[in-house]
Amino acid sequence: MLASAASALYVSPVASHGTRIGLGPKAKTPKLFRGFNGLKAAASIYCESETSFLGNGRNASVWESFKPNLGRPKSRTKSQLKPQASSFKVAVLGAAGGVGQPLALLIKMSPLVSAVHLYDIANVKGIAADLNHCNTPARVLDFTGESELAGSLKGVDVVVIPAGIPQKPGMTCDDLFNVNANIVKSLMEAVADNAPDAFIHIISNPVNSTVPVAAEVLKQKGVYDPRKLFGVTTLDVVRASTFVAQKKNLKLIDVSVPVIGGHAGITILPLLSKTRPSVTFADGEVEELTVRIQNAGTELVEAKAGAGSATLSMAYAAARFVESSLRALDGDGDVYECSFVQSDLTELPFFASRVKLNRKGVEAVIPSDLQGLTDYEAKALEALKPELKASIEKGVTFVHNQTAAAASG
């Protein structure tokens, strides 16, 4: 039952738009996944591209405001993209779930990945076999059951945790927390023992509490590095950019909206005033869009008639964050993403904001987005803090209580 938990977060737009690809002089296909150009069987790919989802060189404001940076494509230039060396290993814990399976596929498509380790308590042998039929370089290995958990973590550079259960109709936040906090705690103990230096991406909801759970486990094990622990909030950014582009009839590839705070309900605060390219919103539009972004997970649950939550969009968002992490590990010095991390931007110990990534994890949190907020945003920021504070403390208290209970038992 380590299915993916969470409705929430790929920011780095990875598919190019208006791109022509030729595998050789004749073959053509309409789209190129720049961030996942593992989709190639030839020694090289020729591409002629107008732009990508990240925008183009002519739109400097987009690049400066929010730079996942999968490479800045030149306008109408023709180049030969040569395969990069695949060098990183990624573990997906909860790989049999609704998020884990598509996430594993997207990760396998990355040219920066040499191996994908799939772990779940459910059998993932068939999933690994299926993925290994895809002609991309990364090798997929399967690990099933607690006895193989340690092996799945050996030598990995990034650990992604979508394990757990999604919130279902009638389930309270406490119900969700109690199940997923135990799962995250158990998995993090194994991560601490077997992959203490890896980047750790927490998807399991409620992220506002499970990230503090993960931090406390790492602290108890003596291996906590706050630079390498991330709550994946990318889906909030993806949704915000999508909804704004639709509302304002903008080209989606050019739109970026920073999202700060946390990853649930009112703690999700899209900074619409900082949308790039700059756009004007009526007061009613700001509230309408903010509420829709905050309640987007519920929107999906209702659309699926209670039979599921965000899975494909969550996998897309998580894959984008994985790709950004890999680029940072590979030495790219211009990688920015929003993430829920240990932070000093506010009085809260954890906070979601844009961060700059490097080989060691978070190089810096970006304070500029909290400057010059509108009255609406400033009030919303203050309103979210009590709920976010309580969620963080809930995660910390959970681990301390578990530890005390184990000691007394």
Side-chain angles (χ1 to χ4, degrees):
M1 282 231 352
L2 289 184
S4 74
S7 74
L9 347 316
Y10 193 105
V11 147
S12 108
V14 293
S16 72
H17 171 79
T19 301
R20 292 192 342 219
I21 309 171
L23 299 181
K26 294 183 179 180
K28 292 184 179 181
T29 183
K31 293 184 179 180
L32 168 65
F33 282 75
R34 286 187 62 84
F36 296 119
N37 50 7
L39 285 176
K40 55 178 180 280
S44 61
I45 295 179
Y46 295 89
C47 73
E48 183 175 348
S49 175
E50 293 181 3
T51 184
S52 82
F53 276 124
L54 294 178
N56 55 42
R58 294 170 293 180
N59 197 339
S61 64
V62 174
W63 286 103
E64 292 307 313
S65 66
F66 192 70
K67 302 183 273 192
N69 194 35
L70 299 184
R72 301 187 184 186
K74 302 287 187 180
S75 175
R76 303 300 299 177
T77 59
K78 188 172 183 179
S79 61
Q80 187 177 36
L81 302 179
K82 296 185 178 180
Q84 298 170 305
S86 302
S87 56
F88 299 107
K89 297 180 180 180
V90 180
V92 180
L93 309 185
V99 173
Q101 292 192 48
L103 174 58
L105 172 61
L106 292 171
I107 292 171
K108 189 185 185 317
M109 293 169 66
S110 172
L112 292 172
V113 175
S114 62
V116 186
H117 293 186
L118 306 185
Y119 170 80
D120 211 307
I121 58 173
N123 195 336
V124 290
K125 187 177 182 66
I127 298 169
D130 197 355
L131 289 173
N132 277 323
H133 286 193
C134 300
N135 64 331
T136 61
R139 183 185 178 195
V140 182
L141 304 177
D142 60 280
F143 302 84
T144 300
E146 292 184 15
S147 64
E148 297 187 4
L149 176 56
S152 74
L153 294 165
K154 295 295 185 182
V156 301
D157 302 285
V158 178
V159 178
V160 190
I161 304 181
I165 63 171
Q167 189 164 3
K168 301 174 183 178
M171 179 181 288
T172 67
C173 291
D174 283 341
D175 294 335
L176 179 68
F177 172 77
N178 289 333
V179 174
N180 287 351
N182 274 297
I183 292 172
V184 170
K185 179 178 180 293
S186 176
L187 293 175
M188 285 305 306
E189 289 169 349
V191 173
D193 291 338
N194 298 283
D197 297 322
F199 282 22
I200 302 164
H201 297 183
I202 304 293
I203 298 174
S204 308
N205 273 328
V207 166
N208 293 352
S209 298
T210 54
V211 170
V213 166
E216 291 304 306
V217 171
L218 293 170
K219 289 175 184 177
Q220 290 183 355
K221 292 280 189 175
V223 293
Y224 179 50
D225 185 342
R227 299 172 300 176
K228 295 183 178 183
L229 178 62
F230 306 90
V232 182
T233 61
T234 318
L235 184 51
D236 297 327
V237 179
V238 169
R239 286 168 167 164
S241 300
T242 300
F243 298 164
V244 167
Q246 292 171 345
K247 184 73 173 178
K248 290 299 187 178
N249 196 28
L250 300 172
K251 294 177 75 173
L252 181 60
I253 56 176
D254 292 334
V255 178
S256 69
V257 183
V259 182
I260 65 170
H263 184 56
I266 67 165
T267 70
I268 300 168
L269 180 54
L271 299 180
L272 298 174
S273 68
K274 298 182 182 294
T275 297
R276 294 293 182 270
S278 182
V279 61
T280 301
F281 297 95
D283 290 343
E285 288 180 325
V286 169
E287 183 172 2
E288 175 191 346
L289 283 166
T290 298
V291 171
R292 187 184 178 198
I293 293 162
Q294 291 172 339
N295 295 330
T298 301
E299 180 180 310
L300 276 183
V301 171
E302 292 175 351
K304 295 184 178 184
S309 59
T311 51
L312 301 178
S313 56
M314 179 65 251
Y316 169 79
R320 168 179 157 170
F321 195 78
V322 169
E323 187 76 0
S324 292
S325 294
L326 295 177
R327 288 180 176 276
L329 284 167
D330 199 40
D332 189 331
D334 198 26
V335 181
Y336 294 77
E337 286 284 2
C338 284
S339 182
F340 186 64
V341 298
Q342 181 172 310
S343 173
D344 60 3
L345 287 185
T346 70
E347 64 273 23
L348 301 173
F350 292 91
F351 194 78
S353 69
R354 285 191 304 159
V355 297
K356 183 178 182 182
L357 304 178
N358 64 16
R359 284 192 170 107
K360 295 183 179 180
V362 176
E363 177 180 335
V365 295
I366 309 301
S368 58
D369 284 334
L370 270 66
Q371 300 167 1
L373 299 180
T374 65
D375 288 344
Y376 180 89
E377 291 165 347
K379 290 177 182 177
L381 175 58
E382 292 307 310
L384 71 80
K385 288 180 179 179
E387 181 172 324
L388 183 54
K389 181 175 184 288
S391 296
I392 293 169
E393 290 175 348
K394 187 173 186 176
V396 173
T397 300
F398 172 83
V399 177
H400 291 175
N401 289 344
Q402 293 275 310
T403 303
S408 62

